[in-house]
């Protein structure tokens, strides 16, 4: 169902949240969107809506992958390649530091401008699902 940024459909007083909107298909996201819709409709805050820009997501693979914010390509397209810098770190997760099995972890951080504001963070490795629970603002 097509909605605007405030969960409005093209029919007056008909709203949609969650998986049916084609946005991030995550239960906590649907709950957050529903709460903001209720705040807007019944809580006296006409500007209340969910910003889908920096919602973390995880692929529960082996090893897991966590991501939030923009990819390097998206950041380059939005802000210009000259304004984007990336940092990549590869290391053995401490979980395996003293074992023979050396499971790699890779972290990529995408930053904007001289202030190096973080606009994207991507993690591959054991614990990525927990590490990515950061908020970029």
């Amino acid at each position: 169902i097509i909605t605007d940024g405030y969960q409005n459909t093209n029919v007056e007083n008909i709203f949609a949240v969650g998986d049916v909107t084609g946005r991030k298909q995550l239960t906590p996201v649907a709950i957050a969107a529903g709460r903001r819709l209720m705040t807007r409709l019944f809580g006296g805050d006409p500007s209340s809506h969910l910003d889908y820009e920096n919602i973390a997501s995880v692929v529960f693979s082996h090893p897991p992958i966590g991501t939030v914010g923009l990819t390097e390509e998206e950041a380059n397209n939005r802000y210009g390649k000259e304004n984007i810098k990336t940092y990549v770190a590869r290391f053995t997760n401490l979980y395996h530091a003293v074992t023979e099995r050396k499971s790699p972890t890779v972290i990529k951080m995408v930053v904007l401008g001289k202030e190096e504001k973080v606009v994207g963070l991507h993690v591959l490795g054991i614990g990525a699902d927990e590490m990515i629970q950061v908020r970029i603002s």
Side-chain angles (χ1 to χ4, degrees):
I1 298 172
I2 298 171
T3 63
D4 64 13
Y6 292 84
Q7 297 89 28
N8 298 306
T9 66
N10 62 343
V11 179
E12 189 175 349
N13 294 316
I14 301 294
F15 311 95
V17 297
D19 294 0
V20 298
T21 65
R23 292 189 174 95
K24 296 277 187 175
Q25 297 183 355
L26 301 165
T27 300
V29 174
I31 292 168
R35 285 182 177 158
R36 294 205 182 44
L37 176 61
M38 293 301 102
T39 298
R40 185 166 59 84
L41 296 176
F42 306 112
D45 184 358
S47 66
S48 181
H49 69 286
L50 183 62
D51 179 5
Y52 289 87
E53 182 77 19
N54 290 314
I55 295 174
S57 62
V58 173
V59 177
F60 292 101
S61 55
H62 297 282
I65 302 166
T67 183
V68 63
L70 302 175
T71 65
E72 182 178 2
E73 182 180 357
E74 290 168 337
N76 286 337
N77 290 338
R78 181 177 295 181
Y79 300 112
K81 190 172 185 171
E82 67 280 2
N83 298 311
I84 296 299
K85 187 173 182 179
T86 59
Y87 294 96
V88 177
R90 291 175 173 83
F91 55 92
T92 298
N93 190 302
L94 285 176
Y95 187 80
H96 291 289
V98 294
T99 67
E100 290 187 28
R101 179 175 176 243
K102 301 297 183 193
S103 179
T105 297
V106 180
I107 298 177
K108 184 175 191 177
M109 186 168 31
V110 183
V111 299
L112 171 64
K114 290 184 290 186
E115 302 82 19
E116 295 196 342
K117 176 183 177 185
V118 177
V119 295
L121 183 64
H122 314 282
V123 183
L124 169 91
I126 294 174
D129 46 339
E130 297 298 327
M131 285 187 269
I132 207 64
Q133 294 183 50
V134 297
R135 185 177 191 296
I136 297 177
S137 52

